[in-house]
């Protein structure tokens, strides 16, 4: 296994709350593990939230609502439209297609492990998974969507059970809380988590070399923490304009369009790399379909590095160790109460 | 339990290959069972086809293709778009919404148990589930869809395994055969099948009374056989124009538009009633959402009967005994090979 210095870039770049130990060279598995634990955390079983405690009743309701298209304006779009279980919670499209065939402005990232992130949406303009779900619900006519839900007795009962004591529990806020609670259970522990939890045999030799490469090259400056990303915002294109490398058709100004602050120009949420090998295409506009090409572009526009094919191959081996199993309650659809609307 | 004569209507109406025993009154469960066996058949485990033998390799591939949206013209429409597992293989819409938000001309019936039917589509203009899948595939540019599939190595391998010995197995015909083979496994044995197989306790007292009512009222003239429907074509509106009862917005001439034969005016495939309680709305245009109302309309426009609420309730109890469990390989999505297209 090649040994590389981890610290070089980290010391000159923003690393959030992450700190490195003084010894930058991993002499063996134990040392590699100790260093990795400085940068990354294993997934919890549930992404807990003080604002929205995860209860079985909320999860049960949220799972049904997640799969139910009938309360969208044309009756055909559920959360599953853009977050297909068969495609690891994505839709495989550069940009998603919503009600009326309308193209969404950005690529739909996977819903898996999304609840642990700093915010929702590429520009962080949704505070949480609950906020994202609530504000997507039944647009543009939430009152009509709520009225539809209320005609279905078993849904009324499920809302009452999920939000006990509330006089009128069928609300868009509770819709968001129920779906958010379900999403908080969609965690996909991977071989890398087993490694972080002490099973150093869970990663192949190549994946371990890739982890070294990933950290040493500086990828973990931003892609760190429990999500291996998802924990901060960062400018896309530190070294050169991103669109020159990605071939993006449009120049998206990112978080700038939300905050109007100059510092947020071309700033996006750093995507979580969990399940990245299963969720092409990549970037906020899905402009690149190949993961090796994506890794090379990131080296070029963020780190000013021309990564060799060998380096990319090692990093890919590490990224593949971030693929977990689909949660059974996500892979499998619940049976929804029968009802139809005109 | 009320006893009713079964034969009255059957003797004056088309009954296909179905014959009744002389004794028209079921004196007890055994007699009810014997009579039911004259009209209905339990589901086989697989809907076999001499033209398309069901093999594990075809089913495995077909299941993946069924769930994969990436080969449609806009990359967003798989079979699952209109045949959602969560809604028992339907989409809950009066008429489905396809690529580009385009409304389909008719209601999407469930894909469950569909392979046993006389033909596919409401007007029977698809010969089989294979024909239906093949002709839906990748429209309007099948060549481009095939080219996309071929870029994914694991799909190429799966096609080779499913169609051994073929030089170029990735074809629209084999797409149809693979999906057809998967659909031939989507059988949902229900309490009524257990009854037909001899377990007379599998039906409640109400369901048994409903079975008597169903046959006695004449419903089984058309809704018979293994699908409790799905086995023949029939004019919708024997007694009066269907649209006066259903409130249909358009007058669909049914099979007439396919064959141009006067005898086919307003003729549609008799829908299978398996899982009918789980699959609203009803009729070829989804014009009625309520099952009790649907039963009443059928009595009125097909049988010239004003069914009482009591009669309808009994028939509903029988119809509920036609609800089976979702096949696990349908409820649960397969993991698709990662790949994305521009």
């Amino acid at each position: 296994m090649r040994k590389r210095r981890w610290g070089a870039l980290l010391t000159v770049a923003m690393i959030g709350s992450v700190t490195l130990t003084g010894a930058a060279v991993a002499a063996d598995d134990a040392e590699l593990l100790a260093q990795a634990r400085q940068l990354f955390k294993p997934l919890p079983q549930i992404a807990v939230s003080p604002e929205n405690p995860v209860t079985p009743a909320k999860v049960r309701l949220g799972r049904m609502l997640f799969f139910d298209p009938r309360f969208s304006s044309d009756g055909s779009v559920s959360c599953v439209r853009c977050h297909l279980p068969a495609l690891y919670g994505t839709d495989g499209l550069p940009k998603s297609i919503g009600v009326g065939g309308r193209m969404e402005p950005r690529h739909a990232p996977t819903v898996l492990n999304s609840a642990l992130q700093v915010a929702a949406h590429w520009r962080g303009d949704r505070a949480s998974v609950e906020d994202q779900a609530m504000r997507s619900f039944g647009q543009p006519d939430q009152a009509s969507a709520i009225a539809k839900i209320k005609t279905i007795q078993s849904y009324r009962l499920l809302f009452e059970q999920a939000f006990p004591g509330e006089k009128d529990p069928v609300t868009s806020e509770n819709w968001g809380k129920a779906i958010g609670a379900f999403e908080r259970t969609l965690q996909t522990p991977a071989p890398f988590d087993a490694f972080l939890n002490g099973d150093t045999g869970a990663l192949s030799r190549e994946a371990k070399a890739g982890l070294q490469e990933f950290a040493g090259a500086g990828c973990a400056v931003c892609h760190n923490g429990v999500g291996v990303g998802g924990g901060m915002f960062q400018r896309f294109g530190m070294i050169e304009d991103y669109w020159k490398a990605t071939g993006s058709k449009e120049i998206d100004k990112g978080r700038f369009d939300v905050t109007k602050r100059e510092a947020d120009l071309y700033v996006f949420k750093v995507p979580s790399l969990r399940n990245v090998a299963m969720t092409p295409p990549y970037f906020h506009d899905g402009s690149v379909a190949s993961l090796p090409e994506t890794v090379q572009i990131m080296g070029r526009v963020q780190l000013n590095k021309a990564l060799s094919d060998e380096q990319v191959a090692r990093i890919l081996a590490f990224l593949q160790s971030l693929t977990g199993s689909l949660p059974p309650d996500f892979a499998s659809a619940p049976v929804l109460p029968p009802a139809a609307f005109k």
Side-chain angles (χ1 to χ4, degrees), chain A residues 65 68-76 137 143-156 170 175 336-342:
Chain A
L65 297 174
D68 202 327
R70 292 173 293 181
F71 312 118
S72 62
S73 63
D74 73 356
S76 86
F137 165 67
S144 155
I146 284 175
K148 281 180 183 168
I149 296 176
K150 286 183 175 175
T151 66
I152 302 178
Q153 190 187 4
S154 46
Y155 266 128
R156 286 204 311 274
V170 185
W175 163 286
L336 300 176
F341 305 96
K342 298 229 168 180

PDB file of all heavy atoms in Angstrom, chain A residues 65 68-76 137 143-156 170 175 336-342:
ATOM      1  N   LEU A  65     -46.656   7.962   2.776  1.00  0.00           N
ATOM      2  CA  LEU A  65     -46.745   9.237   2.052  1.00  0.00           C
ATOM      3  C   LEU A  65     -45.612   9.355   1.029  1.00  0.00           C
ATOM      4  O   LEU A  65     -45.803   9.904  -0.060  1.00  0.00           O
ATOM      5  CB  LEU A  65     -46.706  10.410   3.033  1.00  0.00           C
ATOM      6  CG  LEU A  65     -47.872  10.484   4.019  1.00  0.00           C
ATOM      7  CD1 LEU A  65     -47.633  11.611   5.029  1.00  0.00           C
ATOM      8  CD2 LEU A  65     -49.211  10.696   3.298  1.00  0.00           C
ATOM      9  N   ASP A  68     -46.685   7.625  -2.070  1.00  0.00           N
ATOM     10  CA  ASP A  68     -48.050   7.885  -2.567  1.00  0.00           C
ATOM     11  C   ASP A  68     -48.089   9.093  -3.507  1.00  0.00           C
ATOM     12  O   ASP A  68     -47.843  10.216  -3.085  1.00  0.00           O
ATOM     13  CB  ASP A  68     -48.986   8.117  -1.379  1.00  0.00           C
ATOM     14  CG  ASP A  68     -50.438   7.860  -1.753  1.00  0.00           C
ATOM     15  OD1 ASP A  68     -50.799   8.124  -2.917  1.00  0.00           O
ATOM     16  OD2 ASP A  68     -51.192   7.377  -0.897  1.00  0.00           O
ATOM     17  N   PRO A  69     -48.421   8.865  -4.788  1.00  0.00           N
ATOM     18  CA  PRO A  69     -48.422   9.977  -5.746  1.00  0.00           C
ATOM     19  C   PRO A  69     -49.730  10.771  -5.769  1.00  0.00           C
ATOM     20  O   PRO A  69     -49.815  11.806  -6.430  1.00  0.00           O
ATOM     21  CB  PRO A  69     -48.256   9.250  -7.092  1.00  0.00           C
ATOM     22  CG  PRO A  69     -48.959   7.938  -6.885  1.00  0.00           C
ATOM     23  CD  PRO A  69     -48.740   7.577  -5.422  1.00  0.00           C
ATOM     24  N   ARG A  70     -50.747  10.310  -5.066  1.00  0.00           N
ATOM     25  CA  ARG A  70     -52.105  10.811  -5.327  1.00  0.00           C
ATOM     26  C   ARG A  70     -52.375  12.214  -4.822  1.00  0.00           C
ATOM     27  O   ARG A  70     -53.406  12.800  -5.149  1.00  0.00           O
ATOM     28  CB  ARG A  70     -53.119   9.820  -4.740  1.00  0.00           C
ATOM     29  CG  ARG A  70     -53.113   8.502  -5.480  1.00  0.00           C
ATOM     30  CD  ARG A  70     -53.985   7.471  -4.799  1.00  0.00           C
ATOM     31  NE  ARG A  70     -53.431   7.088  -3.506  1.00  0.00           N
ATOM     32  CZ  ARG A  70     -53.986   6.180  -2.701  1.00  0.00           C
ATOM     33  NH1 ARG A  70     -55.113   5.582  -3.060  1.00  0.00           N
ATOM     34  NH2 ARG A  70     -53.425   5.884  -1.545  1.00  0.00           N
ATOM     35  N   PHE A  71     -51.466  12.773  -4.017  1.00  0.00           N
ATOM     36  CA  PHE A  71     -51.748  14.099  -3.455  1.00  0.00           C
ATOM     37  C   PHE A  71     -50.959  15.200  -4.167  1.00  0.00           C
ATOM     38  O   PHE A  71     -50.986  16.355  -3.755  1.00  0.00           O
ATOM     39  CB  PHE A  71     -51.480  14.080  -1.953  1.00  0.00           C
ATOM     40  CG  PHE A  71     -52.116  12.884  -1.288  1.00  0.00           C
ATOM     41  CD1 PHE A  71     -51.360  11.926  -0.634  1.00  0.00           C
ATOM     42  CD2 PHE A  71     -53.493  12.695  -1.389  1.00  0.00           C
ATOM     43  CE1 PHE A  71     -51.961  10.806  -0.069  1.00  0.00           C
ATOM     44  CE2 PHE A  71     -54.096  11.565  -0.829  1.00  0.00           C
ATOM     45  CZ  PHE A  71     -53.324  10.632  -0.162  1.00  0.00           C
ATOM     46  N   SER A  72     -50.266  14.837  -5.233  1.00  0.00           N
ATOM     47  CA  SER A  72     -49.608  15.853  -6.062  1.00  0.00           C
ATOM     48  C   SER A  72     -50.648  16.478  -6.986  1.00  0.00           C
ATOM     49  O   SER A  72     -51.742  15.948  -7.149  1.00  0.00           O
ATOM     50  CB  SER A  72     -48.489  15.219  -6.880  1.00  0.00           C
ATOM     51  OG  SER A  72     -49.021  14.249  -7.763  1.00  0.00           O
ATOM     52  N   SER A  73     -50.279  17.593  -7.595  1.00  0.00           N
ATOM     53  CA  SER A  73     -51.299  18.348  -8.336  1.00  0.00           C
ATOM     54  C   SER A  73     -51.878  17.547  -9.496  1.00  0.00           C
ATOM     55  O   SER A  73     -53.059  17.660  -9.794  1.00  0.00           O
ATOM     56  CB  SER A  73     -50.737  19.687  -8.818  1.00  0.00           C
ATOM     57  OG  SER A  73     -49.682  19.473  -9.719  1.00  0.00           O
ATOM     58  N   ASP A  74     -51.062  16.706 -10.154  1.00  0.00           N
ATOM     59  CA  ASP A  74     -51.628  15.896 -11.240  1.00  0.00           C
ATOM     60  C   ASP A  74     -51.830  14.442 -10.831  1.00  0.00           C
ATOM     61  O   ASP A  74     -52.174  13.607 -11.652  1.00  0.00           O
ATOM     62  CB  ASP A  74     -50.771  16.004 -12.515  1.00  0.00           C
ATOM     63  CG  ASP A  74     -49.447  15.239 -12.400  1.00  0.00           C
ATOM     64  OD1 ASP A  74     -49.148  14.695 -11.314  1.00  0.00           O
ATOM     65  OD2 ASP A  74     -48.719  15.192 -13.402  1.00  0.00           O
ATOM     66  N   GLY A  75     -51.616  14.159  -9.555  1.00  0.00           N
ATOM     67  CA  GLY A  75     -51.887  12.816  -9.038  1.00  0.00           C
ATOM     68  C   GLY A  75     -50.847  11.774  -9.416  1.00  0.00           C
ATOM     69  O   GLY A  75     -51.056  10.588  -9.182  1.00  0.00           O
ATOM     70  N   SER A  76     -49.720  12.201  -9.994  1.00  0.00           N
ATOM     71  CA  SER A  76     -48.771  11.197 -10.483  1.00  0.00           C
ATOM     72  C   SER A  76     -47.369  11.296  -9.881  1.00  0.00           C
ATOM     73  O   SER A  76     -46.514  10.477 -10.222  1.00  0.00           O
ATOM     74  CB  SER A  76     -48.663  11.280 -12.010  1.00  0.00           C
ATOM     75  OG  SER A  76     -47.715  12.251 -12.414  1.00  0.00           O
ATOM     76  N   PHE A 137     -44.795  19.427  -0.651  1.00  0.00           N
ATOM     77  CA  PHE A 137     -46.102  18.777  -0.533  1.00  0.00           C
ATOM     78  C   PHE A 137     -47.214  19.516  -1.282  1.00  0.00           C
ATOM     79  O   PHE A 137     -47.454  20.703  -1.067  1.00  0.00           O
ATOM     80  CB  PHE A 137     -46.482  18.674   0.949  1.00  0.00           C
ATOM     81  CG  PHE A 137     -47.929  18.361   1.203  1.00  0.00           C
ATOM     82  CD1 PHE A 137     -48.450  17.129   0.844  1.00  0.00           C
ATOM     83  CD2 PHE A 137     -48.776  19.293   1.789  1.00  0.00           C
ATOM     84  CE1 PHE A 137     -49.778  16.832   1.067  1.00  0.00           C
ATOM     85  CE2 PHE A 137     -50.097  19.002   2.021  1.00  0.00           C
ATOM     86  CZ  PHE A 137     -50.612  17.777   1.663  1.00  0.00           C
ATOM     87  N   ALA A 143     -53.999  23.025   0.170  1.00  0.00           N
ATOM     88  CA  ALA A 143     -55.318  22.826   0.797  1.00  0.00           C
ATOM     89  C   ALA A 143     -56.068  21.690   0.108  1.00  0.00           C
ATOM     90  O   ALA A 143     -56.696  20.845   0.766  1.00  0.00           O
ATOM     91  CB  ALA A 143     -56.127  24.122   0.741  1.00  0.00           C
ATOM     92  N   SER A 144     -55.980  21.649  -1.204  1.00  0.00           N
ATOM     93  CA  SER A 144     -56.658  20.592  -1.940  1.00  0.00           C
ATOM     94  C   SER A 144     -56.020  19.239  -1.641  1.00  0.00           C
ATOM     95  O   SER A 144     -56.706  18.220  -1.501  1.00  0.00           O
ATOM     96  CB  SER A 144     -56.586  20.912  -3.437  1.00  0.00           C
ATOM     97  OG  SER A 144     -56.680  19.749  -4.194  1.00  0.00           O
ATOM     98  N   ALA A 145     -54.697  19.208  -1.515  1.00  0.00           N
ATOM     99  CA  ALA A 145     -54.013  17.954  -1.193  1.00  0.00           C
ATOM    100  C   ALA A 145     -54.426  17.464   0.196  1.00  0.00           C
ATOM    101  O   ALA A 145     -54.687  16.273   0.400  1.00  0.00           O
ATOM    102  CB  ALA A 145     -52.501  18.142  -1.273  1.00  0.00           C
ATOM    103  N   ILE A 146     -54.512  18.389   1.141  1.00  0.00           N
ATOM    104  CA  ILE A 146     -54.928  18.003   2.496  1.00  0.00           C
ATOM    105  C   ILE A 146     -56.357  17.477   2.499  1.00  0.00           C
ATOM    106  O   ILE A 146     -56.671  16.480   3.152  1.00  0.00           O
ATOM    107  CB  ILE A 146     -54.749  19.204   3.451  1.00  0.00           C
ATOM    108  CG1 ILE A 146     -53.254  19.353   3.768  1.00  0.00           C
ATOM    109  CG2 ILE A 146     -55.563  19.036   4.739  1.00  0.00           C
ATOM    110  CD1 ILE A 146     -52.892  20.553   4.584  1.00  0.00           C
ATOM    111  N   ALA A 147     -57.206  18.121   1.722  1.00  0.00           N
ATOM    112  CA  ALA A 147     -58.597  17.656   1.638  1.00  0.00           C
ATOM    113  C   ALA A 147     -58.660  16.233   1.085  1.00  0.00           C
ATOM    114  O   ALA A 147     -59.455  15.405   1.551  1.00  0.00           O
ATOM    115  CB  ALA A 147     -59.411  18.614   0.764  1.00  0.00           C
ATOM    116  N   LYS A 148     -57.814  15.936   0.117  1.00  0.00           N
ATOM    117  CA  LYS A 148     -57.793  14.575  -0.438  1.00  0.00           C
ATOM    118  C   LYS A 148     -57.369  13.555   0.626  1.00  0.00           C
ATOM    119  O   LYS A 148     -57.983  12.504   0.771  1.00  0.00           O
ATOM    120  CB  LYS A 148     -56.827  14.503  -1.631  1.00  0.00           C
ATOM    121  CG  LYS A 148     -57.412  15.069  -2.913  1.00  0.00           C
ATOM    122  CD  LYS A 148     -56.407  14.962  -4.063  1.00  0.00           C
ATOM    123  CE  LYS A 148     -56.986  15.614  -5.320  1.00  0.00           C
ATOM    124  NZ  LYS A 148     -55.971  15.801  -6.365  1.00  0.00           N
ATOM    125  N   ILE A 149     -56.307  13.879   1.340  1.00  0.00           N
ATOM    126  CA  ILE A 149     -55.849  12.951   2.387  1.00  0.00           C
ATOM    127  C   ILE A 149     -56.974  12.669   3.370  1.00  0.00           C
ATOM    128  O   ILE A 149     -57.203  11.527   3.774  1.00  0.00           O
ATOM    129  CB  ILE A 149     -54.635  13.525   3.141  1.00  0.00           C
ATOM    130  CG1 ILE A 149     -53.436  13.672   2.202  1.00  0.00           C
ATOM    131  CG2 ILE A 149     -54.260  12.637   4.325  1.00  0.00           C
ATOM    132  CD1 ILE A 149     -52.217  14.319   2.855  1.00  0.00           C
ATOM    133  N   LYS A 150     -57.686  13.729   3.726  1.00  0.00           N
ATOM    134  CA  LYS A 150     -58.726  13.573   4.756  1.00  0.00           C
ATOM    135  C   LYS A 150     -59.891  12.693   4.307  1.00  0.00           C
ATOM    136  O   LYS A 150     -60.651  12.205   5.141  1.00  0.00           O
ATOM    137  CB  LYS A 150     -59.246  14.957   5.181  1.00  0.00           C
ATOM    138  CG  LYS A 150     -58.259  15.714   6.062  1.00  0.00           C
ATOM    139  CD  LYS A 150     -58.840  17.054   6.514  1.00  0.00           C
ATOM    140  CE  LYS A 150     -57.893  17.740   7.496  1.00  0.00           C
ATOM    141  NZ  LYS A 150     -58.373  19.098   7.870  1.00  0.00           N
ATOM    142  N   THR A 151     -60.063  12.502   3.001  1.00  0.00           N
ATOM    143  CA  THR A 151     -61.139  11.608   2.549  1.00  0.00           C
ATOM    144  C   THR A 151     -60.786  10.145   2.775  1.00  0.00           C
ATOM    145  O   THR A 151     -61.652   9.280   2.655  1.00  0.00           O
ATOM    146  CB  THR A 151     -61.428  11.782   1.041  1.00  0.00           C
ATOM    147  OG1 THR A 151     -60.282  11.342   0.297  1.00  0.00           O
ATOM    148  CG2 THR A 151     -61.772  13.216   0.688  1.00  0.00           C
ATOM    149  N   ILE A 152     -59.522   9.858   3.068  1.00  0.00           N
ATOM    150  CA  ILE A 152     -59.089   8.462   3.227  1.00  0.00           C
ATOM    151  C   ILE A 152     -58.971   8.158   4.715  1.00  0.00           C
ATOM    152  O   ILE A 152     -58.053   8.618   5.398  1.00  0.00           O
ATOM    153  CB  ILE A 152     -57.746   8.218   2.504  1.00  0.00           C
ATOM    154  CG1 ILE A 152     -57.894   8.563   1.014  1.00  0.00           C
ATOM    155  CG2 ILE A 152     -57.300   6.768   2.685  1.00  0.00           C
ATOM    156  CD1 ILE A 152     -56.615   8.414   0.200  1.00  0.00           C
ATOM    157  N   GLN A 153     -59.900   7.380   5.192  1.00  0.00           N
ATOM    158  CA  GLN A 153     -60.015   7.168   6.634  1.00  0.00           C
ATOM    159  C   GLN A 153     -58.733   6.618   7.258  1.00  0.00           C
ATOM    160  O   GLN A 153     -58.311   7.059   8.327  1.00  0.00           O
ATOM    161  CB  GLN A 153     -61.184   6.219   6.917  1.00  0.00           C
ATOM    162  CG  GLN A 153     -61.518   6.150   8.397  1.00  0.00           C
ATOM    163  CD  GLN A 153     -62.569   5.083   8.693  1.00  0.00           C
ATOM    164  OE1 GLN A 153     -62.992   4.355   7.808  1.00  0.00           O
ATOM    165  NE2 GLN A 153     -62.979   4.999   9.952  1.00  0.00           N
ATOM    166  N   SER A 154     -58.102   5.666   6.560  1.00  0.00           N
ATOM    167  CA  SER A 154     -56.921   5.065   7.199  1.00  0.00           C
ATOM    168  C   SER A 154     -55.780   6.072   7.305  1.00  0.00           C
ATOM    169  O   SER A 154     -54.985   6.007   8.240  1.00  0.00           O
ATOM    170  CB  SER A 154     -56.484   3.787   6.490  1.00  0.00           C
ATOM    171  OG  SER A 154     -56.455   3.956   5.105  1.00  0.00           O
ATOM    172  N   TYR A 155     -55.702   7.004   6.383  1.00  0.00           N
ATOM    173  CA  TYR A 155     -54.697   8.065   6.528  1.00  0.00           C
ATOM    174  C   TYR A 155     -55.038   8.973   7.720  1.00  0.00           C
ATOM    175  O   TYR A 155     -54.143   9.370   8.479  1.00  0.00           O
ATOM    176  CB  TYR A 155     -54.580   8.906   5.256  1.00  0.00           C
ATOM    177  CG  TYR A 155     -53.486   8.448   4.315  1.00  0.00           C
ATOM    178  CD1 TYR A 155     -53.743   8.201   2.973  1.00  0.00           C
ATOM    179  CD2 TYR A 155     -52.180   8.272   4.763  1.00  0.00           C
ATOM    180  CE1 TYR A 155     -52.737   7.780   2.101  1.00  0.00           C
ATOM    181  CE2 TYR A 155     -51.169   7.852   3.904  1.00  0.00           C
ATOM    182  CZ  TYR A 155     -51.456   7.607   2.573  1.00  0.00           C
ATOM    183  OH  TYR A 155     -50.455   7.196   1.729  1.00  0.00           O
ATOM    184  N   ARG A 156     -56.310   9.321   7.865  1.00  0.00           N
ATOM    185  CA  ARG A 156     -56.697  10.152   9.027  1.00  0.00           C
ATOM    186  C   ARG A 156     -56.235   9.496  10.321  1.00  0.00           C
ATOM    187  O   ARG A 156     -55.655  10.129  11.208  1.00  0.00           O
ATOM    188  CB  ARG A 156     -58.211  10.363   9.050  1.00  0.00           C
ATOM    189  CG  ARG A 156     -58.728  11.330   8.004  1.00  0.00           C
ATOM    190  CD  ARG A 156     -60.069  11.966   8.409  1.00  0.00           C
ATOM    191  NE  ARG A 156     -61.059  10.988   8.847  1.00  0.00           N
ATOM    192  CZ  ARG A 156     -61.879  10.334   8.024  1.00  0.00           C
ATOM    193  NH1 ARG A 156     -61.853  10.558   6.723  1.00  0.00           N
ATOM    194  NH2 ARG A 156     -62.754   9.467   8.493  1.00  0.00           N
ATOM    195  N   VAL A 170     -53.813  16.441  10.271  1.00  0.00           N
ATOM    196  CA  VAL A 170     -53.488  16.369   8.838  1.00  0.00           C
ATOM    197  C   VAL A 170     -53.102  17.758   8.346  1.00  0.00           C
ATOM    198  O   VAL A 170     -53.950  18.564   7.950  1.00  0.00           O
ATOM    199  CB  VAL A 170     -54.659  15.792   8.011  1.00  0.00           C
ATOM    200  CG1 VAL A 170     -54.229  15.636   6.552  1.00  0.00           C
ATOM    201  CG2 VAL A 170     -55.123  14.469   8.579  1.00  0.00           C
ATOM    202  N   TRP A 175     -47.117  16.401   7.497  1.00  0.00           N
ATOM    203  CA  TRP A 175     -46.669  15.673   6.299  1.00  0.00           C
ATOM    204  C   TRP A 175     -45.140  15.681   6.261  1.00  0.00           C
ATOM    205  O   TRP A 175     -44.492  14.647   6.099  1.00  0.00           O
ATOM    206  CB  TRP A 175     -47.272  16.340   5.060  1.00  0.00           C
ATOM    207  CG  TRP A 175     -46.617  15.997   3.750  1.00  0.00           C
ATOM    208  CD1 TRP A 175     -45.407  16.441   3.299  1.00  0.00           C
ATOM    209  CD2 TRP A 175     -47.131  15.135   2.729  1.00  0.00           C
ATOM    210  NE1 TRP A 175     -45.146  15.917   2.053  1.00  0.00           N
ATOM    211  CE2 TRP A 175     -46.179  15.114   1.674  1.00  0.00           C
ATOM    212  CE3 TRP A 175     -48.294  14.400   2.594  1.00  0.00           C
ATOM    213  CZ2 TRP A 175     -46.372  14.391   0.510  1.00  0.00           C
ATOM    214  CZ3 TRP A 175     -48.482  13.670   1.422  1.00  0.00           C
ATOM    215  CH2 TRP A 175     -47.542  13.664   0.410  1.00  0.00           C
ATOM    216  N   LEU A 336     -50.698   0.857  -0.114  1.00  0.00           N
ATOM    217  CA  LEU A 336     -51.421   2.085   0.214  1.00  0.00           C
ATOM    218  C   LEU A 336     -52.919   1.841   0.249  1.00  0.00           C
ATOM    219  O   LEU A 336     -53.427   0.966  -0.457  1.00  0.00           O
ATOM    220  CB  LEU A 336     -51.088   3.154  -0.825  1.00  0.00           C
ATOM    221  CG  LEU A 336     -49.596   3.510  -0.907  1.00  0.00           C
ATOM    222  CD1 LEU A 336     -49.349   4.499  -2.033  1.00  0.00           C
ATOM    223  CD2 LEU A 336     -49.097   4.058   0.413  1.00  0.00           C
ATOM    224  N   PRO A 337     -53.632   2.613   1.069  1.00  0.00           N
ATOM    225  CA  PRO A 337     -55.088   2.441   1.111  1.00  0.00           C
ATOM    226  C   PRO A 337     -55.699   2.788  -0.246  1.00  0.00           C
ATOM    227  O   PRO A 337     -55.354   3.814  -0.829  1.00  0.00           O
ATOM    228  CB  PRO A 337     -55.536   3.426   2.193  1.00  0.00           C
ATOM    229  CG  PRO A 337     -54.412   4.383   2.365  1.00  0.00           C
ATOM    230  CD  PRO A 337     -53.159   3.667   1.967  1.00  0.00           C
ATOM    231  N   PRO A 338     -56.583   1.929  -0.756  1.00  0.00           N
ATOM    232  CA  PRO A 338     -57.157   2.199  -2.076  1.00  0.00           C
ATOM    233  C   PRO A 338     -58.070   3.425  -2.046  1.00  0.00           C
ATOM    234  O   PRO A 338     -58.878   3.581  -1.137  1.00  0.00           O
ATOM    235  CB  PRO A 338     -57.952   0.930  -2.393  1.00  0.00           C
ATOM    236  CG  PRO A 338     -58.233   0.309  -1.063  1.00  0.00           C
ATOM    237  CD  PRO A 338     -57.093   0.684  -0.169  1.00  0.00           C
ATOM    238  N   ALA A 339     -57.919   4.284  -3.019  1.00  0.00           N
ATOM    239  CA  ALA A 339     -58.769   5.464  -3.195  1.00  0.00           C
ATOM    240  C   ALA A 339     -58.319   6.131  -4.479  1.00  0.00           C
ATOM    241  O   ALA A 339     -57.154   6.025  -4.855  1.00  0.00           O
ATOM    242  CB  ALA A 339     -58.627   6.444  -2.024  1.00  0.00           C
ATOM    243  N   ALA A 340     -59.234   6.795  -5.129  1.00  0.00           N
ATOM    244  CA  ALA A 340     -58.876   7.493  -6.365  1.00  0.00           C
ATOM    245  C   ALA A 340     -59.576   8.837  -6.394  1.00  0.00           C
ATOM    246  O   ALA A 340     -60.617   9.023  -5.758  1.00  0.00           O
ATOM    247  CB  ALA A 340     -59.250   6.658  -7.580  1.00  0.00           C
ATOM    248  N   PHE A 341     -58.983   9.763  -7.105  1.00  0.00           N
ATOM    249  CA  PHE A 341     -59.540  11.116  -7.213  1.00  0.00           C
ATOM    250  C   PHE A 341     -59.652  11.499  -8.677  1.00  0.00           C
ATOM    251  O   PHE A 341     -58.885  11.026  -9.500  1.00  0.00           O
ATOM    252  CB  PHE A 341     -58.634  12.110  -6.481  1.00  0.00           C
ATOM    253  CG  PHE A 341     -58.386  11.728  -5.054  1.00  0.00           C
ATOM    254  CD1 PHE A 341     -57.242  11.036  -4.694  1.00  0.00           C
ATOM    255  CD2 PHE A 341     -59.332  12.012  -4.080  1.00  0.00           C
ATOM    256  CE1 PHE A 341     -57.023  10.651  -3.385  1.00  0.00           C
ATOM    257  CE2 PHE A 341     -59.120  11.632  -2.766  1.00  0.00           C
ATOM    258  CZ  PHE A 341     -57.965  10.944  -2.420  1.00  0.00           C
ATOM    259  N   LYS A 342     -60.588  12.368  -8.954  1.00  0.00           N
ATOM    260  CA  LYS A 342     -60.768  12.809 -10.352  1.00  0.00           C
ATOM    261  C   LYS A 342     -59.682  13.787 -10.738  1.00  0.00           C
ATOM    262  O   LYS A 342     -59.199  14.529  -9.935  1.00  0.00           O
ATOM    263  CB  LYS A 342     -62.133  13.476 -10.504  1.00  0.00           C
ATOM    264  CG  LYS A 342     -63.249  12.496 -10.208  1.00  0.00           C
ATOM    265  CD  LYS A 342     -64.299  12.513 -11.285  1.00  0.00           C
ATOM    266  CE  LYS A 342     -65.234  11.316 -11.080  1.00  0.00           C
ATOM    267  NZ  LYS A 342     -66.288  11.216 -12.040  1.00  0.00           N
TER     268      LYS A 342
END
